[in-house]
Amino acid sequence: MERARPLARRPLVTLLTAAALAASGLTALTSAARAADADLARNGGFESALDGWTCTAGTTVTSPVHSGTTALKATPAGADNARCAQTVSVKPDSQYTLSGYVQGAYVYLGASGTGTTDVSTWAQSAPDWQQLTTTFRTGPSTTKVTIYTHGWFGTGAYHADDISLTGPGGETGQPPAAPGGLKTGSVTSSSVALSWSPVPGATGYAVYRDGTKVSTVTGTSTTVSGLTPSTAYSFQVTAVNDAGESARSATVTATTAQRPDDGGGSSDLPAHALVGYLHASFANGSGYTRMADVPDSWDVIDLAFGEPTSVTSGDIRFERCPVAECPNVESDAEFKAAIKAKQAAGKKVLISIGGQNGQVQLTSTAARDTFVSSVSAIIDEYGLDGLDIDFEGHSLSLNADDTDFKNPKTPVIVNLISAVKTLKAKYGDDFVLTMAPETFFVQLGYQYYGTGKWGGQDPRAGAYLPVIHALRDDLTLLHVQDYNSGPIMGLDNQYHSMGGADFHIAMTDMLLTGFPVAGDANNVFPPLRPDQVAIGMPASTQAGNGHVSSAEVNKALNCLTKKTDCGSYATHGTWPDLRGLMTWSINWDRYSNWEFQKNFDAYFG
């Protein structure tokens, strides 16, 4: 249900003349008193991006601005009112004035933790810059106050600029000293362990990679993950307390290890691979395509689908398409021989579990073990190279108390991770593991994760993130379905919709850059390696919502691999090693005269 909007009300304004002030016994502030007051808000004009502010959803823009060169833009969505706040040191029993300029609909400015009466003021509609002002007095023991601005649930974006808090400054103390003793520990192909000496008075530490802050921690060690193999990185650390951030530590460097030739089952894939699903158990309107008739352009062939005997059984079965539905279906012997021929030509053939109709919920360890044994039986019978996880619908969701993607505790999540690790251990490093989640389960996690802090959100939001993260060192390819999707917010805090290159660029940039989960800057989903990422697209207009022309496909590839044709979205890097494209499906591409395949061959040929 949509939250009720606040009733419109107007502020009560009392005009006092100088005579009235005198008659009331109030006198104007002396020049000395005014001189003692200061603007205590840090970066109130947002000229230093969001430095000093903690925002659930916000960014800085160059237009519109009230003054200077930048202003805040924040967009409420669903259960998030796009709150930006900072805590300021103040003096007890003192008078303060909070002021700021706002633009947009339903925008608030307020102060909490005053020790007396918390205050706020708001504008229902501000098509142009409008000043909001409120005052408060601190309590007899108040030394810190939080000032904030926010919008209203589900309404449009608001802007804020030149926020100030005027009054006597509090005792801020001193920032801590810079950490010493920074050193590297274990180094892998995708991570570097760091540790440093504790700093007296520090309440936390910020970690910088190549000059960019990548995380904050409370202890004196961390592991920076999501790194590229055989790449040199530099690291620094700062100490943080209420007074601010220390100078940066001395720099240490580390070069990640080379990815093993057989790691992740991807070493013998071509540099740019074409992945497609083959309707092996059904035909639908695209018709049946024999395995032997799949062109050599397809590097990974996913057999669609293995499905469970019941939602929670974990018992996966793979049934060949019946002759009644697929008159041209080959025999099992011919099918298996064609798989071997594909593998001899360097292709990978996987069993894909799930799909639209195959709901799989491993709610128990018994279901987990049955999943392992039944999937193993399919792989062994057909001599397959690995597994594609295509869990959709309600297969994955998070329990209400499961809030940390790095340490999941929901049984269906934990059991799936355990099952896949068991399969990987059984078949070894050559085991190919791919995943095809929907955007709802991955990129939506930038805004929402599970039921949320206050509950009420869809528990499936971002539910693939703990699975991807736990298996990232075993993962060959992640190809998110950039189709059949609603609008998704990108790292530019703008919503992106299907229908053009922009959607694919924004969604893929999130995977290759990493992103804070549910807006928490201290809980970042690390980037994947570019060789682990392919872009999922429909092969034709009949295959799914979100089909784009070959020209738009090429724009997306140009932007991500060459930083050209990017349009209005600014990517956070350039990734010439992006693995390639996935499509639903090989059958639908054949139905459309192989348009998708031909364009891929022409682009990477």
Side-chain angles (χ1 to χ4, degrees):
M1 292 178 61
E2 180 180 352
R3 300 190 185 204
R5 295 183 178 179
L7 296 175
R9 61 181 186 271
R10 297 179 181 275
L12 177 63
V13 181
T14 304
L15 300 177
L16 296 176
T17 63
L21 283 169
S24 68
L26 299 174
T27 57
L29 292 174
T30 64
S31 298
R34 288 195 185 96
D37 290 344
D39 182 3
L40 307 179
R42 177 179 171 184
N43 188 31
F46 301 96
E47 299 301 316
S48 299
L50 297 179
D51 181 46
W53 296 90
T54 299
C55 301
T56 61
T59 187
T60 52
V61 295
T62 56
S63 178
V65 297
H66 177 259
S67 71
T69 58
T70 56
L72 170 70
K73 179 181 179 181
T75 306
D80 179 24
N81 61 8
R83 186 177 191 263
C84 284
Q86 68 170 267
T87 300
V88 181
S89 296
V90 294
K91 283 188 174 181
D93 198 25
S94 300
Q95 190 73 18
Y96 292 87
T97 299
L98 176 64
S99 179
Y101 288 84
V102 300
Q103 188 178 118
Y106 289 109
V107 54
Y108 290 71
L109 180 68
S112 61
T114 62
T116 55
T117 301
D118 291 349
V119 297
S120 67
T121 181
W122 63 290
Q124 178 178 349
S125 178
D128 298 313
W129 288 108
Q130 175 179 327
Q131 186 177 27
L132 297 178
T133 302
T134 187
T135 61
F136 61 89
R137 192 170 189 84
T138 53
S141 60
T142 302
T143 59
K144 294 185 184 298
V145 167
T146 298
I147 61 174
Y148 64 85
T149 181
H150 68 72
W152 193 248
F153 305 96
T155 59
Y158 72 87
H159 298 80
D161 201 0
D162 296 332
I163 296 176
S164 65
L165 179 66
T166 306
E171 298 296 329
T172 60
Q174 295 293 323
L182 178 63
K183 60 183 179 180
T184 61
S186 175
V187 178
T188 72
S189 62
S190 61
S191 66
V192 173
L194 301 171
S195 63
W196 55 91
S197 302
V199 176
T203 57
Y205 301 89
V207 180
Y208 289 81
R209 182 191 70 211
D210 294 337
T212 300
K213 184 187 293 186
V214 292
S215 67
T216 57
V217 297
T218 55
T220 56
S221 64
T222 190
T223 297
V224 181
S225 57
L227 307 179
T228 302
S230 305
T231 302
Y233 292 94
S234 64
F235 301 94
Q236 295 170 292
V237 178
T238 62
V240 180
N241 64 14
D242 288 342
E245 189 172 349
S246 74
R248 297 184 186 182
S249 69
T251 300
V252 298
T253 60
T255 299
T256 50
Q258 182 178 358
R259 181 162 52 89
D261 288 341
D262 57 355
S266 63
S267 61
D268 50 356
L269 285 179
H272 301 293
L274 181 61
V275 182
Y277 287 80
L278 184 68
H279 306 180
S281 57
F282 59 94
N284 74 18
S286 62
Y288 184 81
T289 301
R290 289 175 170 239
M291 173 66 72
D293 293 334
V294 176
D296 288 341
S297 296
W298 300 90
D299 301 296
V300 180
I301 303 167
D302 293 320
L303 304 181
F305 290 104
E307 298 181 355
T309 55
S310 68
V311 172
T312 59
S313 70
D315 188 5
I316 307 300
R317 305 296 176 89
F318 173 58
E319 304 291 344
R320 300 284 317 288
C321 188
V323 175
E325 183 179 351
C326 304
N328 61 324
V329 65
E330 67 270 61
S331 68
D332 278 356
E334 291 171 328
F335 185 68
K336 293 175 182 178
I339 290 174
K340 288 185 178 180
K342 292 295 179 188
Q343 293 167 328
K347 314 305 178 184
K348 304 296 183 182
V349 184
L350 316 180
I351 179 64
S352 180
I353 307 298
Q356 179 178 341
N357 299 324
Q359 304 294 297
V360 182
Q361 297 175 3
L362 304 182
T363 56
S364 66
T365 55
R368 174 200 65 191
D369 295 343
T370 301
F371 181 88
V372 171
S373 61
S374 60
V375 171
S376 296
I378 297 170
I379 291 173
D380 293 344
E381 179 180 357
Y382 292 95
L384 304 179
D385 297 287
L387 170 67
D388 173 67
I389 302 173
D390 187 13
F391 285 16
E392 301 180 12
H394 291 270
S395 291
L396 296 182
S397 63
L398 295 158
N399 289 353
D401 62 345
D402 199 344
T403 58
D404 181 4
F405 77 91
K406 296 178 182 177
N407 298 286
K409 49 189 176 181
T410 303
V412 296
I413 303 290
V414 174
N415 289 332
L416 175 61
I417 294 168
S418 175
V420 174
K421 284 187 173 293
T422 301
L423 288 166
K424 174 73 174 182
K426 177 178 180 178
Y427 290 102
D429 289 332
D430 288 335
F431 185 76
V432 178
L433 173 64
T434 66
M435 300 183 194
E438 297 163 287
T439 56
F440 191 95
F441 295 89
V442 183
Q443 288 93 338
L444 186 68
Y446 176 53
Q447 283 185 281
Y448 309 109
Y449 188 70
T451 57
K453 294 180 181 179
W454 300 280
Q457 296 175 189
D458 192 318
R460 299 173 299 165
Y464 246 96
L465 293 177
V467 179
I468 299 167
H469 185 68
L471 297 170
R472 62 171 56 236
D473 290 338
D474 302 312
L475 182 65
T476 308
L477 282 176
L478 176 73
H479 31 63
V480 175
Q481 300 177 35
D482 286 359
Y483 48 91
N484 298 335
S485 170
I488 301 290
M489 181 178 285
L491 295 181
D492 57 354
N493 291 324
Q494 303 298 311
Y495 284 97
H496 298 267
S497 299
M498 300 183 303
D502 172 82
F503 188 68
H504 299 293
I505 293 167
M507 295 302 99
T508 308
D509 180 63
M510 296 178 77
L511 302 176
L512 297 173
T513 303
F515 54 87
V517 176
D520 185 353
N522 296 320
N523 195 29
V524 175
F525 178 78
L528 292 166
R529 303 190 314 266
D531 66 278
Q532 290 179 298
V533 176
I535 311 173
M537 303 177 175
S540 66
T541 55
Q542 300 94 333
N545 293 324
H547 174 261
V548 296
S549 67
S550 295
E552 292 298 305
V553 172
N554 293 348
K555 285 181 182 178
L557 292 171
N558 286 341
C559 178
L560 293 163
T561 65
K562 304 173 185 177
K563 218 175 183 65
T564 61
D565 284 341
C566 290
S568 61
Y569 185 89
T571 61
H572 293 75
T574 307
W575 302 279
D577 294 331
L578 179 73
R579 183 63 79 175
L581 300 178
M582 174 276 277
T583 193
W584 177 263
S585 62
I586 294 173
N587 303 60
W588 279 117
D589 196 35
R590 179 173 181 255
Y591 185 86
S592 299
N593 196 31
W594 304 112
E595 176 186 358
F596 195 88
Q597 171 204 301
K598 290 175 180 177
N599 183 66
F600 178 90
D601 289 344
Y603 188 91
F604 288 111

